[in-house]
Every structure is written in C-alpha cells, then in structure tokens.
Amino acid sequence: MKITRIDAIPYRIGYRKPLRFASGEVHAAEHVLVRVHTDDGVVGVADAPPRPFTYGETQRGLVAVIETIFAPQIVGLTLVEREVVHARLGRTVGNPVAKAAIDMAIWDALGRTLDLPVGDLLGGYTDRMRVCHMLGFDTPAAMVDEATRMRDVHGISVFKVKVGRHPVGLDTAVVRALREGLGDDVELYVDGNRGWTASESARAMAEMSDLGLTLAEELCPADDVLGRKWLVGQLDIPFVADESATTPAEVTREVLSGAATAISIKTARTGFTGSLRTHHLCEGLGLEVVMGNQIDGQLGTACTVAFGAAFALTSRRAGELSNFLDMSDDLLTESLTIADGELVVPSGAGIGVEIDDDKLAAYRIDG
Ligand code: MUC
Ligand code: MG
C-alpha cells in the first residue's frame, strides 16, 4: 500500500459547444489526469480540472505543482495515511484542484486495493443521485431548447441557470422563458458567479419572485461583506456559497457572517477528504448542501456522484452531474449514462471507472 509514484498527465478534449458564465468560459477540457501508483502494482486515478478564472490554477501550473511540490511530499506514504497527506498538502494555502486530485486518486487506489467502492468506504448511503443540468449563457430560445433536450433525452428535471450578465434583464428573461417553456414541474435555480452587485442581485431576484426558484448561488461577491449580508437576509430561499466557501474554515466564516445559508461541495476542489470535513460541518450547522460541478468530465463526475451518494445530506438534492455531455469525447472505457434523470454510482472498486489507454494516448498533450 506504499505510494511509489504520482503522474500528472495533461490532456485536451474539445467541447461540442462552449460553456459560458459570469466569471469565464470553457471551450475545451484542458485537464490533468493524476495517477497514484503503489508498490502492489495498484494505480488510482482522478481528474484535475484547472479553473484559472476562479482559483488561478492552470493546466501547466497543475502539472508543475504536482510534480515538483506535492508528489515529493507524498511518495513513500501508505494509502491509509490520508491525514498525513492532508496535513502535508495543507501546508500550501492554494492549489485546491491539484490537492483534491491527489487525494481522490489515493482513495481510488485504496478502494482498488481493498476491492471496495469508495462510496461504500465513505458512507454507503445510496447508489444514485438525481441529476441537475447546468445551463450556460445563451439566448432564451437556445437555453430552453437545451433544457428541453436534457429533459426529453435524459429525463433531467432540475436546472441550474447561469446568470450575472448586464443588463440583468438578459438573464431574468431566460429564467422566465425556461419556466414558461418547461412548466412548473421542473426545478430551477440560479448561479451568478459573482457577476452582479448586491443591489442588482436583489432587483433580479425581485423580478423573478414569481418563478419558483429554489436556490440562489454566488450572485455577488462575498467580499462585498455588508452588501452580501443585506442581500442574503432578504431572500426567502437558501443562498449557496460556492467559490467563496472552499474550505471548512471559509464555510464557517461565510455562514457566521451571514454571507450564505447553503453550501456547494465540489470534489474537484476538496477531494474526498476535504469534502468529508465540509459535509460533517454542514450537517452540524444544519445547512443545505448541493453537490456542485466544476465543469467536470466523466472521471470528475464519477467522483462527485460517489461522494454525493455516500450521505443522506449530499444526496437529498439533485447533483450537478451532466455537463460532461457537452464534451466531444472522454477518457473512460465505459461512458457514464444518465437515464430517467438519475446517475447511478459506478459499481467497481475505487471510483469504479477505468481509463481507456488508447483515448489517453490520443488526447494527452505531453508528447
Ligand atoms: C459553478 O457552479 O460555478 C463555473 C465556474 C466554476 O469554477 O465552476 C462552474 C460552475
Ligand atoms: Mg457556482
């Protein structure tokens, strides 16, 4: 069970259509595949999707920090020394995605070594989650078309709508069109990625007050301390902290300061070990939780659903599990399938998925 090597392999897979939101846009999955090797010949894998517009990590930066800073501190430890790994990686303040991928690849290797799924090791609550699809910026007609296709083809009935544009009417028109086009049976919520001010957010939420929204996420920056508190205090639905609450300490600060009333857990940035801590904190504080999407491919989505299905609190709401459908291809030997609005946790050992060597060879960009 001793870790002998960690690989960081950059790869690129194009998107069929870009995903646009208030803080950036993604045209291709330019991610890093992390592999943890052990002296038993086991290989654990996880995906590291850099989000430069949010956390400052880049694909080249991920490879460099894993190879030169993190791997040398981890090689030689065993798979069960996960708290030692957590403490060593935690000396570095930033680089959440690099740390998360190493952590999850270690859990994958542990699950493979023990021949058990990581979801069972983590909590084993259920084997599936309802799926929420995230809709990026477009015209009202195009976004209604996409949501309708997701509902008709995959049975998805929960949608997170990206907002935060100017004028705010661009986005409120989309949400209204979605409600009118899809009817009252679908669940709709909004995510602003900090694009609006507190007062713009308040105006937009007032304009949409008849549309039955269930959550509002990061509409304005948490650093607008008093404005955000003023906004959150007047809403009658939970306000989700996503990029403002990426660690248990940030969750505590944001919630106690009135900047949020619900939390997005993303395994892509807290791995399994950090997500466990955030989950337990949210449970103790009585906060609602959403399993969020860092614009993950299938490997990242398999991690999200494995963690989300492991607990009652994280599996209660639909998880954001479908945006890999926009990718032109993926790395797995067997594709994840969303049917009847649900994604079942892959049942194999570890994260439960296998990397297709030919696909990796075709898409890796390190020569
Ligand atoms: C989200 O929930 O914000 C967009 C940027 C990012 O880092 O994650 C996505 C989705
Ligand atoms: Mg978000």
Side-chain angles (χ1 to χ4, degrees), residues 11 14 17 34 50 58 72 84 88 117 122 139 168 172 183 206 229 250 262 265 274 288 303 308 323 352-353:
Y11 68 92
K17 69 176 190 56
V34 174
T58 63
V84 181
R88 290 194 184 169
L122 288 163
T139 61
V168 298
T172 56
K229 185 175 170 165
E250 286 177 356
I265 295 181
E288 289 197 46
C303 290
N323 285 81
V353 296

Side-chain angles (χ1 to χ4, degrees), residues 9-11 33 59 76 84 87 92 118 137 147 157 166 267 324-325 338 361:
I9 305 169
Y11 68 92
L33 180 73
Q59 189 181 41
V84 181
T92 303
V118 288
F137 292 162
S157 61
H166 295 92
T267 51
F324 68 83
L325 294 169
I338 298 170

